[in-house]
Amino acid sequence: MDISTLTFLHEIFQEVQQKQDWRTALDTLFVSLRGSFIFDNVAIYLFDPKTKTPEVVYARAVGRGKTAEADAVWGEALSYEVLENGKMVLMDSKPDARQLGRLTSANLVGFPLYIGSKLSGALVFVRFGGPEYSELHIQIASLQAFWAAALIERRDLQEARAELDSVQRQMRLQDDFVSTISHELRTPLGFIKGYSTSLLRQDTTWDEATQREFLNIIDEEADRLTRLIEDMLESARLQSNTLQFKFSPVRIDALLRDVTVRMKTIHPDIQITLDLQPLPPVRGDAMRLSQVFDNLFTNAIKYAPGSEIIISVRSNGDKIRITITDRGEGIPAAYLPFIFERFYRVPGERTVTGTGLGLYICKQIVMAHHGNIWVESVMGEGTTFIIELSNAPMF
Ligand code: ADP
């Protein structure tokens, strides 16, 4: 082997290595060596333990037989053979093709892919219309097989790593949740117990006004407990997919108006600006959608105290877009990707109580409507939640 070949291989190695995405890395690998080893199509089959068959995970056509790219059926039989033997297999098909034209005769070569030390798949090349593979071609192709196996192993490791990260994050959130929830449950229970014990004391008599005040506190705290327990149950049902939805025609503008009136009754001081367009009904679960709007409203009141809340709804082609904006502090950009996760709460000093379930529930409900929900926030300017629902006539 001369120095120029080594330099050439070194350069390709570097280029392939730098590609983050495994498919792009494989593309680079096959394309850059095509000058030395000509083929028309290449496919990678990995053994699927569930179906017990080789499944195509990568296919690319670079030469004359472009139409063969889509299904990669051409290499399937050979991939079985490679997986059975664990060795390179050459297959020449020269049927009566000569009369039919060169593209119908095919030279195939397949190599085993060992991931770790386990035979896990096959890399198959096809060349239509010859010439047959030379010794050098086979060497280059087998080098590509080693490389491809390493790239797939890297892909598997990256995927496993991402899954692990997500499980770890979820576990951290669960831990935080346990401490949040015990605090959240204990606080209202503490009030209820404290005020009812006071009212029941034999040695003290309370005047009528004080009794009413205590009973009001007990009543409010019991409501808070109920809401909390409902949220927890709802989120558990959403996670196990057992929450029932009742779809019927829903007027979103009317629904938003109702939610606004309700909010105004509970919080008479908030300023709400409505920018509603009368819209035809959409297919939805009115109760669940109200729950979404209630949640977003309550969050705006909780996290942007004293701010104006602006609601708008617009028909946008085949979509309805609802926005709920506040002029609060905003959410730092680094936390935005997580706020719809179950139990997630933006870290930091907090005086506002919550469980991190509200936005998770909102997202699941919107998704059950085949809609979309996302957030845009600018620090110091405010936060907007955007919901898009399908406008398609369904009734
Ligand atoms: P919770 O309110 O119970 O903490 P949510 O799932 O409703 O849970 O919200 C998740 C987090 O997103 C909240 O903890 C809060 O930090 C942030 N958040 C939600 N809405 C707003 C808003 N309008 N402005 C600023 N932060 C918000």
Side-chain angles (χ1 to χ4, degrees):
M1 191 187 287
D2 58 22
I3 187 86
S4 64
T5 314
L6 271 179
T7 313
F8 173 61
L9 284 174
H10 186 245
E11 273 166 13
I12 294 176
F13 184 73
Q14 268 189 325
E15 208 186 326
V16 171
Q17 224 33 36
Q18 276 162 9
K19 302 283 187 264
Q20 287 299 312
D21 170 59
W22 66 285
R23 283 178 193 281
T24 323
L26 283 170
D27 288 347
T28 312
L29 172 66
F30 294 125
V31 171
S32 43
L33 276 166
R34 216 178 151 251
S36 321
F37 165 57
I38 306 271
F39 60 89
D40 289 297
N41 290 357
V42 56
I44 292 178
Y45 303 81
L46 287 183
F47 182 74
D48 183 341
K50 275 196 229 116
T51 57
K52 305 230 181 303
T53 52
E55 303 285 339
V56 192
V57 295
Y58 174 91
R60 198 185 154 117
V62 283
R64 293 161 286 193
K66 287 225 181 240
T67 47
E69 181 178 29
D71 46 23
V73 172
W74 51 268
E76 213 170 273
L78 195 75
S79 74
Y80 271 102
E81 214 170 307
V82 172
L83 273 165
E84 257 165 41
N85 299 326
K87 284 202 225 90
M88 180 193 84
V89 180
L90 269 168
M91 196 193 267
D92 270 347
S93 78
K94 295 194 197 91
D96 314 323
R98 296 269 152 79
Q99 305 121 345
L100 299 167
R102 64 204 294 262
L103 285 190
T104 42
S105 82
N107 293 309
L108 288 107
V109 61
F111 297 88
L113 294 176
Y114 285 91
I115 295 177
S117 55
K118 194 161 159 242
L119 176 59
S120 307
L123 169 70
V124 183
F125 294 97
V126 63
R127 180 190 273 173
F128 295 107
E132 281 170 23
Y133 298 108
S134 70
E135 188 68 26
L136 177 67
H137 290 158
I138 299 228
Q139 287 294 333
I140 296 172
S142 95
L143 182 72
Q144 288 180 312
F146 275 119
W147 226 329
L151 287 172
I152 288 167
E153 189 165 9
R154 191 179 77 178
R155 173 200 73 164
D156 292 350
L157 287 174
Q158 280 170 343
E159 282 175 6
R161 172 72 196 262
E163 208 176 299
L164 198 68
D165 281 353
S166 139
V167 171
Q168 271 178 341
R169 200 168 58 242
Q170 201 58 40
M171 278 168 62
R172 251 195 326 271
L173 291 176
Q174 299 261 21
D175 278 355
D176 291 352
F177 178 70
V178 172
S179 50
T180 311
I181 208 74
S182 35
H183 170 80
E184 292 283 313
L185 287 171
R186 282 211 185 100
T187 316
L189 268 179
F191 278 117
I192 293 169
K193 177 75 188 153
Y195 284 101
S196 43
T197 307
S198 303
L199 283 174
L200 287 170
R201 275 171 68 163
Q202 306 267 348
D203 56 348
T204 321
T205 44
W206 306 99
D207 61 49
E208 172 107 21
T210 314
Q211 280 184 28
R212 281 211 75 79
E213 189 194 331
F214 285 7
L215 284 170
N216 265 327
I217 296 173
I218 293 173
D219 190 46
E220 275 168 23
E221 294 300 320
D223 284 348
R224 188 165 139 193
L225 257 185
T226 311
R227 266 197 313 275
L228 184 69
I229 291 166
E230 270 167 9
D231 268 6
M232 284 170 58
L233 290 175
E234 192 100 321
S235 120
R237 280 189 215 113
L238 280 164
Q239 253 224 324
S240 59
N241 267 331
T242 51
L243 192 70
Q244 297 285 321
F245 282 84
K246 290 193 200 85
F247 289 103
S248 60
V250 179
R251 289 277 307 274
I252 297 290
D253 50 325
L255 208 66
L256 281 165
R257 219 180 285 278
D258 291 350
V259 177
T260 310
V261 170
R262 205 160 52 240
M263 286 292 152
K264 270 277 196 200
T265 324
I266 311 171
H267 309 274
D269 295 336
I270 51 166
Q271 195 197 331
I272 302 175
T273 307
L274 280 178
D275 178 9
L276 304 180
Q277 219 182 29
L279 294 169
V282 298
R283 181 175 184 270
D285 180 325
M287 206 184 87
R288 300 284 171 210
L289 287 174
S290 295
Q291 196 181 346
V292 171
F293 302 140
D294 267 350
N295 248 321
L296 297 178
F297 250 102
T298 313
N299 274 355
I301 295 166
K302 265 165 52 176
Y303 298 106
S307 155
E308 174 193 11
I309 301 172
I310 305 138
I311 314 293
S312 93
V313 56
R314 287 269 170 282
S315 169
N316 184 1
D318 58 349
K319 299 250 162 51
I320 286 186
R321 180 179 275 221
I322 305 135
T323 61
I324 298 177
T325 302
D326 64 59
R327 306 264 183 245
E329 295 252 304
I331 305 168
Y335 304 128
L336 288 178
F338 309 113
I339 64 165
F340 291 98
E341 283 184 11
R342 203 162 170 246
F343 307 140
Y344 189 82
R345 305 200 73 212
V346 171
E349 239 186 282
R350 51 175 72 249
T351 40
V352 183
T353 57
T355 55
L357 290 174
L359 289 179
Y360 167 80
I361 293 175
C362 289
K363 180 160 186 164
Q364 302 304 311
I365 294 175
V366 171
M367 275 167 44
H369 285 78
H370 304 289
N372 231 329
I373 178 167
W374 69 97
V375 60
E376 287 167 6
S377 190
V378 178
M379 288 303 284
E381 287 186 20
T383 303
T384 299
F385 284 90
I386 303 126
I387 297 174
E388 259 184 7
L389 297 174
S390 168
N391 201 2
M394 299 218 170
F395 303 96

